[in-house]
Amino acid sequence: FYAKTSISFLDSTKGSPLKFRSITYIYGGDHSGDTHLDTFYKVENATSENDVINKIKTGNTIINSNVFPALNNELCAIVVLGRTASGKTTTAKKIAQMLSYEYIPCAFYKRLVKTNYDKSDSLVDNLRDEGLKLATNSAIEHLKKGSVVIDSSFGVQNRREHLIENLSPFVRNILFVYCLTTSLEETRNRIESRKGKESLDLQYHASDYKVFEHVDKTFEEPTNAELNHINGSRYIYYIDTFAKSVQPLLKTSDPLVKELHKLLIQVVDSD
């Protein structure tokens, strides 16, 4: 038997990777077909193993957990979706950092599906589907340890349903944050500003307006009825990252959702 491992950097500072992920495929033997997902972090200024352990324990929490006790004490999967250049990746990263949730970008996993992934591959839907399956499996593994933030366009209903059906056995609280921008000019400017930065971060890879047009043309608007067809707390929040507004699709008294509302206001105001 043998194994194949693919590695992708998630971010970097001055060309030095701070975080990367890997996926290993097993071929042959009793475990043929198994996949293993790992995340690696560079702990800067560490002088001993204890320094690393303490850094992992404290994380990068920005907000005191007492401010959002429900979001910190309950197991959650926050799904951030939207069209290209809608601000979803920036929003997802901020939520994950502010709550110390695991950040899972589907864009990373679809790049593991194909060797030498190119920005033109962003238009290939089967890569999105295969990447989503890997990202879903990663989310399930991380939910055994804590809450997650999942970042993807999720512009097609069957992809959202796939995520809900697979996560539901592991987490009751699945909360959706739908990012959009009311300015087409702002969308064009954001996409244009990514050119030349594609190698720096996953969020800059979609630097061709054709990607936005493809996602926009095929985008199926989510509804609360669609997301509530399985028992559990599922609500959609709209974030207009251009107008800087936060609006729930439905009003609710659920304390978990109310905390999410407050958190999203802070996310928007921090831009």
Side-chain angles (χ1 to χ4, degrees):
F1 65 91
Y2 69 97
K4 181 183 77 171
T5 299
S6 298
I7 296 175
S8 179
F9 298 124
L10 294 182
D11 51 27
S12 62
T13 301
K14 296 180 181 179
S16 175
L18 301 178
K19 180 178 180 181
F20 65 91
R21 284 190 173 142
S22 72
I23 181 169
T24 300
Y25 299 91
I26 307 297
Y27 299 90
D30 293 339
H31 296 283
S32 183
D34 286 2
T35 58
H36 298 274
L37 298 162
D38 293 291
T39 304
F40 300 85
Y41 301 87
K42 178 181 179 181
V43 181
E44 297 185 293
N45 304 318
T47 59
S48 68
E49 183 176 318
N50 284 334
D51 284 350
V52 177
I53 292 171
N54 290 331
K55 179 70 173 180
I56 293 171
K57 284 182 177 179
T58 57
N60 295 311
T61 306
I62 295 176
I63 296 179
N64 190 301
S65 60
N66 293 328
V67 178
F68 299 104
L71 287 169
N72 281 277
N73 295 330
E74 293 199 40
L75 190 65
C76 300
I78 297 178
V79 183
V80 183
L81 67 147
R83 292 168 174 79
T84 305
S86 62
K88 62 182 180 296
T89 294
T90 299
T91 299
K93 285 183 174 180
K94 285 183 179 179
I95 293 172
Q97 186 181 32
M98 294 168 82
L99 295 172
S100 288
Y101 283 12
E102 181 68 22
Y103 171 60
I104 299 177
C106 290
F108 162 76
Y109 291 98
K110 69 180 180 181
R111 282 161 177 76
L112 293 180
V113 176
K114 181 183 177 183
T115 305
N116 299 323
Y117 186 96
D118 184 79
K119 64 181 181 180
S120 62
D121 292 319
S122 296
L123 302 176
V124 182
D125 283 334
N126 72 306
L127 290 180
R128 292 177 180 270
D129 291 334
E130 291 303 312
L132 174 59
K133 291 178 183 177
L134 292 177
T136 302
N137 290 339
S138 178
I140 291 171
E141 286 302 309
H142 283 291
L143 283 168
K144 296 175 183 178
K145 298 173 286 185
S147 299
V148 299
V149 176
I150 305 170
D151 169 14
S152 183
S153 60
F154 289 110
V156 180
Q157 180 176 341
N158 61 16
R159 292 186 187 127
R160 298 189 292 263
E161 290 180 343
H162 168 87
L163 187 73
I164 293 172
E165 290 168 3
N166 283 273
L167 293 190
S168 290
F170 303 92
V171 61
R172 180 180 183 274
N173 304 300
I174 305 177
L175 308 167
F176 284 77
V177 176
Y178 180 11
C179 292
L180 51 90
T181 174
T182 49
S183 170
L184 188 58
E185 181 181 359
E186 173 67 12
T187 299
R188 289 182 180 276
N189 290 338
R190 289 178 183 180
I191 294 174
E192 186 65 26
S193 69
R194 296 176 175 183
K195 292 181 179 178
K197 301 179 183 178
E198 292 88 346
S199 63
L200 299 179
D201 196 287
L202 289 173
Q203 70 184 103
Y204 299 128
H205 284 200
S207 58
D208 190 330
Y209 194 71
K210 290 181 180 178
V211 177
F212 168 80
E213 291 178 321
H214 173 74
V215 173
D216 184 52
K217 182 179 179 180
T218 58
F219 204 91
E220 298 171 3
E221 294 293 328
T223 65
N224 212 67
E226 166 201 335
L227 300 177
N228 273 291
H229 72 289
I230 302 174
N231 290 334
S233 300
R234 292 172 188 83
Y235 298 91
I236 305 172
Y237 265 93
Y238 290 93
I239 290 186
D240 186 333
T241 57
F242 176 70
K244 298 186 182 300
S245 64
V246 177
Q247 181 65 44
L249 183 63
L250 293 177
K251 301 290 184 181
T252 176
S253 59
D254 188 324
L256 188 71
V257 181
K258 283 187 172 182
E259 283 191 5
L260 178 63
H261 188 118
K262 292 178 182 178
L263 175 72
L264 295 179
I265 290 174
Q266 293 199 24
V267 168
V268 170
D269 288 343
S270 65
D271 287 339

